Amino acid sequence: MSTPYPFTAIVGQDDLRLGLLLNAVSPAVGGVLVRGEKGTAKSTAVRALAALVPEVSVVPGCRFSCDPVSPDPACPDGPHAEAAGVSRAARTVELPVGASEDRLVGALDIERALSEGVKAFEPGLLADAHRGILYVDEVNLLHDHLVDLLLDAAAMGASYVEREGVSVRHAARFLLVGTMNPEEGELRPQLLDRFGLTVEVAASRDTDERVEVVRRRLAYDDDPEGFAARWSGEESALRERIAAARALLPRVVLGDGVLRQIAATCAAFEVDGMRADIVMARTATALAAWAGREEVTADDVRQAALLALPHRRRRNPFDAPGLDEDKLDQTLDEAGPQENNDGDDRPDPDPDGGGDDDGGGGGGVPPQADGDRTPPRGESGDTPSQAPEGSPDAPGRSTGAEQQPVASAEPFRTKMLSVPGLGEGAAGRRSRARTEHGRTTGARRPQGALTKLHLAATVQAAAPHQRARGRSGRGLVVRRDDLRQATREGREGNLVLFVVDASGSMAARQRMSAVKGAVLSLLLDAYQRRDKVGLVTFRGKEAEVALPPTSSVDAAASRLESLPTGGRTPLAAGLLKAHDVLRVERLRDPSRRPLLVVVTDGRATGGPEPVALAGRAGRLHRSEGTASVVVDCESGYVRLGLAGELARELGGTAVTLDELRADSIAGLVKDVTAAGRAA
């Protein structure tokens, strides 16, 4: 086993270290989500924490790590007789993003269960992580069905494996730690709320600190064991401090005045539910114990709010995380008891009241890299009062001058646009697909390991052979050839490629604001349906890929906000650029079906025969079976219907901005017309 990098040797990243240490002191805090750019020691810090967590006492021979003091009465390896426990290190179990359901929850031998009536169960990662740490690197890329299982286990403290009435249950209480790069996509709100704390990390811009990071890393790579030995003293001291804080934790007093501050803070920041209040209380208590105090102070509450609330106050994936610290201080001052402030109106951000040589300091909202932050509406580019007016929205009129970016209108809930047919792509929530989860539609012979048994089909396959197999009792004689896999139909995520017209004909300020609001709404819908998104824009003389296909819809929203307009309308160039993007993506991920969303008024200018060239580009997409929809942005009393003509060339569907709204009475849900099926 390789020697882990010492926790105390990590340079900087105070909030990251503090968040992990508070969970080591009090696992009831609920875990920590680490968000940040690549190469910021996220995974290194999590793996290093395992060496600091105190040992656990387990029942000898129990595969489910039962506590000998209070063993699980429903443990599959039980019941356990009274016996002395054995101590071992708390486990850190890593869940790969591509793991199967059986690998996570365990596998039940269906053949033995049917034929012998025994529960032959092989534990999964949830059983291994019980009373330890479950670590998910790139947690935002975890498949939905695994997220659902994690949510169930985190909520109930137990894992259930059920196959056609045969079930196994075991305890599964673990410290959930996840790391993610926001550029690769956001996390589902339900799972996001399950993380007690969240911290933002970024690489230091201080030259001396960066030099020290490189120096220590090179020394570790050259001699891991020798490097770890040089830090063994600091590691032992930090381990003892964690143990002392754990022993002190039950004696820490959480006064009514402090509870009022916690409740007032959560109410002031309008967080959903009551979990934030509970997590803040537990975090503040852990902070006091970590500082060696038996009473929670306002400083602890402030620090707890900065760790527990940023990810709970986000209303959509485009909101930048973080808290308004001035508002936080004002709320604490108004609600807090004066005796906790010691006459000082400004809380000390250091919960220890001094320096922290063991790396447990930190606090406050960490600096964010520019690429990790989505500007709020109106922050990027000119405000409406500062920006010049755009061209009048009249048919055929455009401007060659580039206009500054305009803020988007408020997003709205859109109608669902889906790809026709039955796909086999990654699990999601948009188009129909054959999946491992969903409603049962039939049965087939299993290809590889059996995952979902179709009981009726299995019994039907085994029944004709019972006499030949010498059946004499009541049990059914089942052989492997009789087993049938259930075929299921669910939903898949698609690649939604936006092709946005940013030319002069779209430059009228009011119209472009509405167009950006519509695209932003579709991006929010893509986030909720677990799609990949890409963004192609065209204006002037050419088209460009503003954002290659990615799972990060907030990155697409950021590019959209800063999109300037003006110039001619090279519609054909935009469609051809989209064709190139889709061609490459089909090679990378053949099972993910694309949905082309063209946002335009349908006008085409520049070059010889621009309208005819755009039509040929549209037919190219149609010939390759690309599902498409055209969002018609034409407005005014005189309408040319060019967007509708483009939709016919694409073999797709045209919808107006008004029809795109889910609450519109202009029409029902519009499925995209299959390419080649248009009249």
Side-chain angles (χ1 to χ4, degrees):
M1 181 177 180
S2 60
T3 303
Y5 192 91
F7 189 88
T8 50
I10 296 173
V11 179
Q13 307 297 10
D14 293 339
D15 285 335
L16 168 59
R17 291 183 292 157
L18 179 60
L20 293 172
L21 289 169
L22 291 177
N23 277 276
V25 171
S26 176
V29 166
V32 59
L33 173 66
V34 186
R35 294 166 44 93
E37 59 195 32
K38 49 189 173 292
T40 49
K42 300 187 299 293
S43 300
T44 299
V46 175
R47 295 186 176 107
L49 179 68
L52 303 175
V53 177
E55 293 185 339
V56 295
S57 178
V58 299
V59 173
C62 178
R63 298 175 296 167
F64 302 89
S65 303
C66 279
D67 187 346
V69 177
S70 56
D72 181 8
C75 177
D77 284 355
H80 297 297
E82 292 186 8
V86 295
S87 294
R88 63 161 175 78
R91 292 172 179 159
T92 297
V93 178
E94 295 194 30
L95 171 60
V97 294
S100 65
E101 179 180 336
D102 285 348
R103 184 72 185 97
L104 178 61
V105 300
L108 191 64
D109 192 329
I110 300 297
E111 184 177 0
R112 290 189 63 192
L114 288 176
S115 59
E116 302 176 29
V118 298
K119 297 180 181 179
F121 180 69
E122 184 66 28
L125 296 177
L126 290 180
D128 292 341
H130 179 48
R131 304 177 65 200
I133 301 171
L134 182 62
Y135 170 48
V136 190
D137 192 15
E138 306 295 350
V139 64
N140 52 321
L141 304 182
L142 201 63
H143 290 300
D144 273 0
H145 67 284
L146 297 182
V147 171
D148 293 337
L149 294 170
L150 274 182
L151 287 172
D152 289 342
M156 297 183 294
S159 174
Y160 292 85
V161 182
E162 299 190 10
R163 300 288 165 82
E164 304 296 343
V166 180
S167 64
V168 171
R169 174 221 172 266
H170 65 82
R173 292 183 295 276
F174 46 81
L175 176 62
L176 182 61
V177 180
T179 56
M180 60 175 283
N181 183 350
E183 294 178 355
E184 298 172 341
E186 283 295 340
L187 198 60
R188 276 177 57 181
Q190 296 91 335
L191 184 56
L192 185 65
D193 188 53
R194 284 291 171 185
F195 286 97
L197 311 178
T198 184
V199 293
E200 298 275 339
V201 296
S204 173
R205 300 298 183 257
D206 181 81
T207 301
D208 292 337
E209 193 167 291
R210 295 175 74 97
V211 167
E212 186 61 23
V213 170
V214 175
R215 181 182 292 117
R216 293 186 187 183
R217 187 68 208 191
L218 293 177
Y220 170 78
D221 291 340
D222 289 341
D223 183 11
E225 293 184 0
F227 184 82
R230 291 196 294 274
W231 289 89
S232 60
E234 288 83 351
E235 292 282 287
S236 297
L238 187 56
R239 194 178 297 111
E240 292 173 1
R241 184 177 177 185
I242 292 173
R246 277 197 171 191
L248 178 62
L249 189 65
R251 303 198 301 273
V252 175
V253 177
L254 189 69
D256 289 342
V258 171
L259 280 174
R260 181 170 293 277
Q261 282 186 311
I262 292 172
T265 301
C266 292
F269 285 98
E270 300 180 350
V271 297
D272 296 331
M274 295 296 299
R275 183 173 288 116
D277 304 63
I278 297 171
V279 171
M280 272 191 65
R282 289 171 173 166
T283 304
T285 304
L287 280 163
W290 179 246
R293 289 183 273 103
E294 295 188 4
E295 184 176 357
V296 176
T297 68
D299 297 344
D300 299 326
V301 175
R302 185 180 193 276
Q303 182 69 63
L306 293 172
L307 293 170
L309 295 189
H311 62 301
R312 291 187 166 87
R313 60 170 297 273
R314 302 181 75 186
R315 289 296 180 262
N316 65 62
F318 311 137
D319 291 338
L323 293 180
D324 182 341
E325 295 195 42
D326 291 336
K327 179 179 178 180
L328 174 61
D329 291 333
Q330 181 181 354
T331 302
L332 293 174
D333 288 342
E334 292 174 353
Q338 294 299 317
E339 63 268 21
N340 283 346
N341 291 333
D342 295 330
D344 186 358
D345 292 334
R346 292 285 296 183
D348 179 1
D350 183 359
D352 294 348
D356 184 0
D357 296 333
D358 289 323
V365 178
Q368 300 175 20
D370 292 340
D372 289 342
R373 183 175 178 271
T374 301
R377 305 289 173 261
E379 183 177 335
S380 176
D382 292 339
T383 61
S385 61
Q386 296 170 327
E389 290 298 322
S391 300
D393 187 11
R397 182 172 181 178
S398 65
T399 177
E402 179 177 307
Q403 304 296 318
Q404 293 298 318
V406 300
S408 68
E410 286 298 317
F412 53 84
R413 190 167 64 90
T414 66
K415 287 185 170 70
M416 191 179 87
L417 304 171
S418 61
V419 178
L422 196 63
E424 295 182 346
R429 298 189 183 91
R430 183 171 298 277
S431 305
R432 295 173 54 220
R434 299 182 185 91
T435 62
E436 289 295 320
H437 303 270
R439 63 185 182 89
T440 301
T441 58
R444 60 175 173 81
R445 291 182 181 273
Q447 299 172 350
L450 179 70
T451 56
K452 296 290 183 181
L453 177 74
H454 194 296
L455 183 59
T458 298
V459 172
Q460 186 176 7
H465 308 291
Q466 295 305 294
R467 180 173 296 180
R469 293 174 182 173
R471 173 185 172 185
S472 58
R474 298 179 61 183
L476 187 67
V477 181
V478 179
R479 294 180 180 173
R480 180 163 295 276
D481 290 343
D482 301 326
L483 299 179
R484 294 294 182 268
Q485 174 83 24
T487 57
R488 298 174 179 244
E489 181 179 311
R491 293 279 174 176
E492 68 177 358
N494 298 108
L495 166 60
V496 182
L497 181 61
F498 294 92
V499 182
V500 180
D501 185 348
S503 64
S505 67
M506 304 284 288
R509 181 162 303 278
Q510 186 174 5
R511 191 206 296 191
M512 198 61 201
S513 178
V515 167
K516 284 188 175 183
V519 178
L520 195 65
S521 303
L522 290 168
L523 284 171
L524 183 58
D525 181 68
Y527 162 74
Q528 294 168 341
R529 301 189 187 281
R530 312 299 288 174
D531 295 317
K532 289 181 68 175
V533 297
L535 180 63
V536 173
T537 63
F538 60 93
R539 67 183 184 91
K541 297 182 180 180
E542 60 185 10
E544 65 172 350
V545 181
L547 182 71
T550 175
S551 297
S552 178
V553 294
D554 55 339
S558 179
R559 304 292 171 86
L560 180 70
E561 286 285 354
S562 59
L563 178 66
T565 56
R568 295 184 178 274
T569 313
L571 178 57
L575 295 174
L576 292 175
K577 181 68 72 173
H579 178 266
D580 292 340
V581 172
L582 294 180
R583 176 178 54 82
V584 173
E585 288 302 309
R586 284 190 179 99
L587 296 175
R588 290 177 175 171
D589 189 357
S591 64
R592 188 180 289 270
R593 297 187 295 164
L595 172 61
L596 183 68
V597 179
V598 185
V599 185
T600 181
D601 57 10
R603 296 181 178 89
T605 59
E609 299 183 346
V611 176
L613 186 60
R616 288 198 294 272
R619 290 192 294 274
L620 178 61
H621 284 280
R622 178 178 177 176
S623 67
E624 296 188 353
T626 303
S628 60
V629 60
V630 177
V631 180
D632 184 357
C633 302
E634 191 174 28
S635 61
Y637 293 106
V638 180
R639 302 178 66 88
L640 303 180
L642 297 176
E645 180 61 32
L646 176 62
R648 285 188 287 274
E649 297 286 9
L650 287 165
T653 301
V655 296
T656 65
L657 290 174
D658 289 337
E659 291 173 340
L660 193 61
R661 292 179 177 270
D663 55 359
S664 170
I665 61 173
L668 301 176
V669 175
K670 287 179 177 281
D671 282 344
V672 179
T673 304
R677 294 182 182 177

